[in-house]
Amino acid sequence: MNRRDILKRLSLLPLAATSIGSAALAATREPLPETDPARTPGAKLPTAGNTPGEGHDAAAAHTPPAVTRDLFAELGVRRIINADVTMTFLSGSLMLPEVLEAINSTAHDFANMFELQDKVGAKIAELLKVEAAMVTSGAACAILLGTAACITGTDKDKIKNIPNLPGPRAEVIMQKSHRYLFDQAVTTTGARIVEVEGPDEMEKAFTPQTVMALFFNAAEKHSITHEDFLAIAGRHNIPTFLDAAADVPPVENLFKYQKMGFSLVTFSGGKMIRGPQSAGLLFGRKDLIEAAKLNHSPHEAPIGRPMKVNKEEMFGMYAALKSYLDRDHQKEWNGWLDRAKHIATRLAPLQTLKTEIWTNPGPANAFPNLIVDWDRQHFKITPKEVRQTLQDGNPSIVTGVHEDKLLIGVVLLRPDQVEIVVQRVKEVLTHAV
Ligand SMILES: *Cc1c(COP(=O)(O)O)cnc(C)c1O
């Protein structure tokens, strides 16, 4: 999937959500068989025993314990296997055991939330080798809080009144090609976005109202490079914000952009860092993080009050980041490649089938996937139809389509789901001979 596909997909999400919704309805009429491994996630599939990539720590670590109370069944909610990339409507990513442990082990005591945010933030800042950090309710919240911080500073009156401040609206500079769905988090503060294209236009766009310049890292096109963007904003003494929400791996990106000089940087907690889905990281300049905290819960009145982060998510976000930083990333990567190769080997007996490992160049979702294609005269079904059939099936499996080929994402699969995906893809294709 290239960046354009990702953006297109972002804008298609509500549609995709709808089709999942109807699939879910269909499924309630057709209960899963008792033996279906998707129903009892702790159950071992007889064939999944020695799947390459399963021995790999991070992958093996997220095999869930057997459930005693099945809340999915109790509420009639379908379990979905995500053989694609992290998506908000599919609940982001799966938290690792150490994150769940952080949540469980801290749930039994109260804490002062001001102190917790300060202490967790200080620890995260230390881990990321940056001045200051905080936990937000996701990257979108971080964009809103960062913008609010640039507007209000520590001014109590402004914090109390934003987004209804007197006088002309604050202005945030963005490249025209960087405009995206998430910039509504900017305008929610009352600020307006001033679009520029190229360094010359940016140079001329600053006014007394300019408070911030926002850079969308995974945009398809940059008419201004990171370096020029920073230099120009720096000459005008305006803080810069970089949205890198989905831009790990590689782990180095957590350090790269703040080192380049961005005043504020955000990453989602609930994507490949595998923290709580509704958590995120905002880090950078100390004065701006302080101002962002003043605009956030647990303060009672500010604009960020409805974007509360709970105690367990704060501990969980810290645990997830620490685990992510401590991980052997080469080993994790090799585990993904092994898994993609394993699926390719299992599918190889299908006539005319071709597979290829494709690594998304990023910066968002920069990890390996398996691309599968076949002779449409032999298997008379298109990749889009396969995708839909898998999604509508039992269990529901979400795959992708990349350049009119089936994309099987490997990084979000639990070890015990690999074989289920193989079997279902085989079934759907062989039904179409
Ligand atoms: C996912 C994403 C967001 C939103 O992140 P949340 O953590 O879900 O709030 C913002 N910007 C980009 C580029 C994203 O990919």
Side-chain angles (χ1 to χ4, degrees):
M1 194 170 355
N2 60 32
R3 290 173 205 166
R4 191 179 322 124
D5 290 339
I6 291 167
L7 285 176
K8 240 191 261 156
R9 171 164 311 178
L10 277 174
S11 58
L12 282 174
L13 282 188
L15 207 70
T18 308
S19 63
I20 291 257
S22 56
L25 282 179
T28 53
R29 275 182 256 117
E30 193 191 327
L32 293 168
E34 284 304 328
T35 51
D36 193 315
R39 180 167 189 141
T40 41
K44 258 235 167 310
L45 265 183
T47 41
N50 289 314
T51 306
E54 240 193 80
H56 162 249
D57 292 344
H62 65 193
T63 301
V67 286
T68 45
R69 180 181 177 189
D70 188 347
L71 284 155
F72 275 87
E74 196 169 317
L75 298 179
V77 176
R78 291 185 107 188
R79 292 187 156 84
I80 292 171
I81 295 178
N82 189 349
D84 199 353
V85 298
T86 59
M87 284 179 266
T88 295
F89 86 101
L90 288 182
S91 63
S93 55
L94 300 178
M95 291 182 275
L96 288 168
E98 52 267 38
V99 178
L100 294 170
E101 194 197 319
I103 288 171
N104 280 323
S105 65
T106 56
H108 311 284
D109 290 287
F110 293 101
N112 177 317
M113 294 303 288
F114 292 109
E115 181 191 5
L116 178 56
Q117 178 69 284
D118 286 349
K119 297 263 166 77
V120 164
K123 194 72 191 171
I124 289 174
E126 189 188 313
L127 290 174
L128 295 179
K129 301 183 171 65
V130 65
E131 269 181 41
M134 67 184 290
V135 180
T136 64
S137 64
C141 168
I143 297 167
L144 183 143
L145 291 180
T147 310
C150 292
I151 294 172
T152 65
T154 55
D155 186 316
K156 285 202 175 75
D157 242 27
K158 287 185 178 166
I159 290 168
K160 188 167 165 235
N161 291 307
I162 188 172
N164 302 304
L165 298 176
R169 290 171 76 180
E171 292 170 7
V172 170
I173 293 174
M174 281 184 81
Q175 304 185 41
K176 203 177 197 140
S177 58
H178 285 199
R179 292 300 307 272
Y180 64 156
L181 297 171
F182 291 107
D183 63 37
Q184 200 187 22
V186 170
T187 53
T188 303
T189 65
R192 94 187 167 84
I193 291 167
V194 175
E195 289 181 5
V196 299
E197 193 158 323
D200 293 345
E201 266 186 44
M202 180 168 174
E203 192 72 64
K204 292 185 201 117
F206 293 83
T207 73
Q209 279 71 53
T210 309
V211 294
M212 193 180 89
L214 173 64
F215 197 102
F216 169 27
N217 198 45
E220 200 182 327
K221 176 172 169 265
H222 305 309
S223 68
I224 307 163
T225 62
H226 292 78
E227 291 79 5
D228 285 349
F229 194 85
L230 287 166
I232 297 166
R235 276 200 287 283
H236 294 269
N237 205 18
I238 290 296
T240 47
F241 188 117
L242 181 108
D243 175 2
D247 300 355
V248 287
V251 61
E252 290 78 22
N253 281 356
L254 284 165
F255 302 90
K256 177 176 170 182
Y257 301 106
Q258 35 122 336
K259 272 197 213 136
M260 278 177 96
F262 281 91
S263 321
L264 290 171
V265 177
T266 186
F267 283 85
S268 287
K271 293 179 181 166
M272 293 301 279
I273 298 175
R274 301 184 61 178
Q277 188 192 7
S278 47
L281 297 170
L282 176 62
F283 54 90
R285 247 169 62 181
K286 197 174 173 72
D287 61 321
L288 294 174
I289 295 295
E290 283 312 311
K293 284 189 206 167
L294 293 174
N295 277 287
H296 195 217
S297 176
H299 293 281
E300 305 226 302
I303 191 166
R305 175 59 180 79
M307 292 153 230
K308 182 199 285 168
V309 180
N310 74 33
K311 170 179 53 116
E312 292 78 9
E313 288 170 323
M314 289 208 191
F315 281 117
M317 188 66 244
Y318 162 67
L321 179 67
K322 180 138 184 23
S323 160
Y324 188 69
L325 292 171
D326 288 347
R327 194 161 313 160
D328 182 337
H329 292 273
Q330 190 58 51
K331 190 172 162 194
E332 181 173 61
W333 189 273
N334 290 341
W336 292 333
L337 289 177
D338 284 350
R339 184 177 273 180
K341 282 180 208 152
H342 169 75
I343 298 174
T345 308
R346 297 280 290 113
L347 294 176
L350 294 175
Q351 269 182 47
T352 79
L353 193 105
K354 285 202 203 79
T355 56
E356 170 202 347
I357 293 175
W358 174 68
T359 298
N360 188 320
N365 301 317
F367 39 73
N369 308 272
L370 186 70
I371 301 286
V372 182
D373 200 14
W374 52 88
D375 183 343
R376 309 285 159 86
Q377 301 300 315
H378 184 69
F379 297 116
K380 299 178 188 65
I381 188 167
T382 67
K384 275 192 183 139
E385 288 164 345
V386 172
R387 179 176 194 268
Q388 192 63 49
T389 309
L390 289 169
Q391 186 175 300
D392 294 345
N394 256 330
S396 176
I397 301 172
V398 173
T399 50
V401 170
H402 172 72
E403 291 175 352
D404 202 27
K405 292 171 189 163
L406 185 71
L407 179 147
I408 301 179
V410 296
V411 303
L412 301 178
L413 292 178
R414 291 197 323 244
D416 59 300
Q417 294 173 332
V418 172
E419 189 58 26
I420 302 173
V421 171
V422 166
Q423 288 301 339
R424 284 293 295 142
V425 170
K426 276 185 160 177
E427 267 169 39
V428 172
L429 284 174
T430 48
H431 265 93
V433 173

